[in-house]
């Protein structure tokens, strides 16, 4: 019984070690391809558009209602204690530092990261990756590096956009639900928040983009076992990215605070 | 063109290629047959450097490729055109872009217009003019094969490998494909290796044959000698007999 449990634990440990090792190995290859830069620029532009521009509507929608939800949750207490002067600060602080980057990071992982894993995984099982190698093209330089860069850049930019929209949403819902005027909201926001609050969240966004890109690419290119394998890889990729986002969020928050 | 000696490859603890030796002259045309899972595709992929053998030697056009790093493999791979079993068309590129892709990488100085023009010429040869702006997902199986063939032969590589060029195709299309392969071969004078399960169709195209089973060659030689081979397994396989060692 104990031996069986130990064997299972050992098996799980080896599996996790294999995946972590794979991600680190891929990271090493990406860094090698970046110094000096040897990636495909057309692919980078294509991915910036596909991963970033096409994510704008869902990011705007998510961010707008996220800002609104925070005001809805606090509206009762704002009215009860007359704390209208804190609404702008509270919404901005939460959005910039925590809710913006983490929620958008998870949304980005679900939309872009999972799609990336599925696309790369399908390319593996349909021999497209072998096809690239047979044509003397390094798949890391051609496919992986542009995707990693595109995800980091676009999650960073989308977080800025998401922050702005979330604050706008909070101001609008604050005005409607808690009778906080736009002027009062703006005063509270601008007088109490600092640029460090924004950069704190943007550091997180860049790190989350990095985590989503590496995990989604690794699970994509290491697919085995056909369509079932692709499904499993997408699942693992989203779980690993979510875990990575939460863990790194804790570390960054602890370190920067 | 190709010289292989004592080639061994193990994957996941299973020996999949076991001491293979082969010599292929430049300009010759070889068919590769054998039961499924015997190592045919693995063997040709190993020739392209897509798998690293445990030991042995592979010399392609005078270059030993065993032990070469990926960057060092680039000049060798540029001498090889390959049609994959699943065609391996890039689904994020249109048909003409797929065909032009190897040429674009080989000769980056060529303009987009030139690449498109060359691609259309090749597509015309394979009977697909008019499909150049389609996506691979919009093509039938036979059309995909022909796009794959057009791409594999786009750079006039001196060695061309076709992995199942007629798999899943009807007899008429199969015949057309083999005519096309022969036409392209006559134009380029390339050395050709073609894997197929369709021995009859393949025999109309190749002059030599090799039979691979469980990672070993059971037969290598002129097509005319295949039927006289004394190996009972070869005998059973080429005649499609139910009784025998297979």
């Amino acid at each position: 019984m104990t031996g069986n449990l130990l064997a299972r634990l050992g098996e799980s440990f080896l599996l996790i070690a294999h995946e972590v090792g794979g991600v680190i190995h891929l990271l090493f290859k990406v860094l090698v391809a970046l110094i000096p830069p040897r990636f495909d620029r057309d692919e980078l532009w294509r991915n910036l558009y596909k991963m970033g521009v096409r994510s704008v509507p869902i990011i705007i929608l998510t961010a707008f209602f996220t800002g609104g939800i925070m005001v809805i949750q606090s509206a009762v207490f704002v009215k009860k204690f007359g704390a209208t002067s804190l609404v702008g600060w509270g919404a901005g602080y939460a959005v910039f530092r925590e809710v913006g980057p983490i929620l958008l990071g998870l949304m980005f992982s679900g939309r872009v990261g999972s799609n990336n894993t599925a696309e790369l995984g399908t390319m593996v099982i349909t021999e497209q990756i072998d096809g690239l190698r047979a044509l003397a093209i390094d798949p890391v330089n051609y496919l992986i590096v542009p995707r990693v860069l595109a995800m980091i850049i676009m999650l960073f930019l989308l977080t800025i956009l998401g922050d702005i929209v979330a604050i706008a949403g909070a101001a609008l819902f604050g005005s409607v639900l808690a009778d906080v005027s736009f002027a009062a909201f703006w005063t509270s926001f601008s007088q109490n928040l600092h640029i460090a609050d924004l950069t704190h969240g943007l550091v997180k966004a860049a790190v989350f983009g990095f985590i989503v890109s590496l995990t989604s690419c690794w699970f994509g290119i290491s697919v085995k076992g056909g369509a079932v394998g692709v499904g499993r890889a997408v699942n693992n990729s989203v779980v690993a990215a979510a875990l990575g986002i939460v863990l790194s969020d804790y570390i960054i928050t602890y370190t920067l605070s | 063109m190709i010289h292989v000696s004592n080639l061994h490859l193990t994957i996941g603890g299973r020996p999949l290629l076991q001491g293979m030796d082969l010599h292929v002259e430049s300009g010759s045309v070889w068919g590769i047959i054998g039961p499924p899972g015997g190592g045919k595709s693995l063997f040709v992929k190993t020739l392209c450097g897509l798998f690293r053998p445990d030991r042995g030697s592979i010399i392609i056009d005078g270059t030993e490729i065993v032990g070469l790093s990926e960057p060092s493999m680039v000049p060798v791979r540029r001498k090889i055109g390959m049609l994959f079993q699943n065609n391996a068309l890039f689904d994020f590129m249109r048909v003409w872009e797929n065909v032009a892709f190897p040429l674009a990488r080989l000769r980056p100085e060529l303009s987009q217009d030139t690449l498109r023009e060359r691609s259309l010429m090749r597509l015309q040869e394979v009977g697909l003019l008019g499909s150049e702006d389609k996506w691979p997902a919009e093509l039938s199986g036979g059309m995909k094969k022909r796009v794959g063939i057009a791409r594999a032969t786009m750079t006039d590589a001196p060695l061309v490998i076709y992995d199942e060029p007629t798999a899943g195709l009807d007899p008429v299309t199969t015949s057309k494909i083999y005519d096309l392969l022969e036409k392209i071969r006559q134009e380029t004078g390339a050395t050709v290796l073609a894997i197929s399960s369709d021995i009859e169709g393949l025999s109309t195209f190749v002059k030599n044959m090799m039979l691979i089973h469980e990672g070993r060659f059971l037969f290598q030689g002129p097509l005319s000698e295949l039927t006289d081979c004394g190996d009972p397994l070869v005998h059973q396989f080429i005649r499609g007999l139910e009784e025998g060692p297979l």
Side-chain angles (χ1 to χ4, degrees), chain A residues 140-207:
Chain A
V140 172
N141 293 1
Y142 185 74
L143 290 175
I144 307 297
V145 176
R147 285 159 196 253
V148 169
L149 290 177
M151 282 194 229
I152 295 171
I153 293 167
M154 289 323 291
L155 185 52
F156 184 86
L157 295 177
L158 287 170
T159 302
I160 295 174
L161 174 69
D163 283 352
I164 294 168
V165 174
I167 296 301
L172 185 68
F173 280 85
S175 166
V176 174
L177 298 175
D179 295 327
V180 179
S181 69
F182 289 117
F185 186 94
W186 173 248
T187 305
S188 167
F189 177 84
S190 59
Q191 286 186 351
N192 296 304
L193 286 171
H194 306 284
I195 194 71
D197 297 317
L198 177 66
T199 54
H200 182 102
L202 293 181
V203 169
K204 286 182 179 177
V207 173

Side-chain angles (χ1 to χ4, degrees), chain A residues 238-257:
Chain A
V238 172
V239 171
L243 272 175
I245 285 173
V246 174
L247 276 174
S248 62
D249 185 39
Y250 172 80
I251 294 166
I252 296 167
T253 305
Y254 185 80
T255 310
L256 295 185
S257 302

Side-chain angles (χ1 to χ4, degrees), chain A residues 207-222:
Chain A
V207 173
F208 296 166
F210 180 71
I211 288 168
V212 172
S213 65
L214 272 185
T215 50
S216 65
C217 286
W218 164 250
F219 283 104
I221 58 167
S222 59

Side-chain angles (χ1 to χ4, degrees), chain A residues 40 43 46 119 122-123 125-139 142-143 147, chain B residues 45 49-51 70 74 77-78 80 82 84-93 101-102 105 151:
Chain A
D40 191 284
E43 267 297 293
R46 203 175 71 83
E119 195 175 311
T122 306
M123 290 183 77
I125 64 170
T126 55
E127 296 182 311
Q128 292 179 54
I129 302 283
D130 279 345
L132 282 173
R133 292 177 63 209
L135 289 170
I137 294 160
D138 184 344
Y142 185 74
L143 290 175
R147 285 159 196 253
Chain B
K45 284 183 179 178
L50 299 178
F51 287 94
E70 285 286 309
V74 169
R77 286 185 177 145
R78 286 186 171 161
I80 305 172
M82 181 150 182
F84 284 82
Q85 199 168 1
N86 294 322
N87 309 312
L89 299 183
F90 304 125
D91 46 23
F92 54 93
M93 291 181 190
F101 192 63
R105 306 300 293 196
R151 188 176 72 182

Side-chain angles (χ1 to χ4, degrees), chain B residues 104-173:
Chain B
R105 306 300 293 196
L106 188 68
R107 297 183 58 192
E109 76 279 6
L110 293 179
S111 68
Q112 283 291 101
D113 288 343
T114 310
L115 288 170
R116 186 177 165 92
E117 192 184 325
R118 299 261 186 104
S119 178
L120 294 190
M121 283 165 63
R122 188 58 92 185
L123 283 170
Q124 188 172 26
E125 285 176 356
V126 298
L128 282 178
L129 198 60
S131 301
E132 60 272 15
D133 289 320
K134 288 184 177 170
W135 297 99
E138 298 175 275
L139 304 178
S140 68
M143 290 164 92
K144 284 180 185 170
K145 282 283 173 210
R146 283 186 280 167
V147 175
I149 290 167
R151 188 176 72 182
T153 56
M154 189 64 183
T155 57
D156 293 337
L159 170 61
V160 186
I161 298 169
Y162 301 111
D163 191 351
E164 298 284 2
T166 58
L169 302 182
D170 63 89
V172 177
T173 311

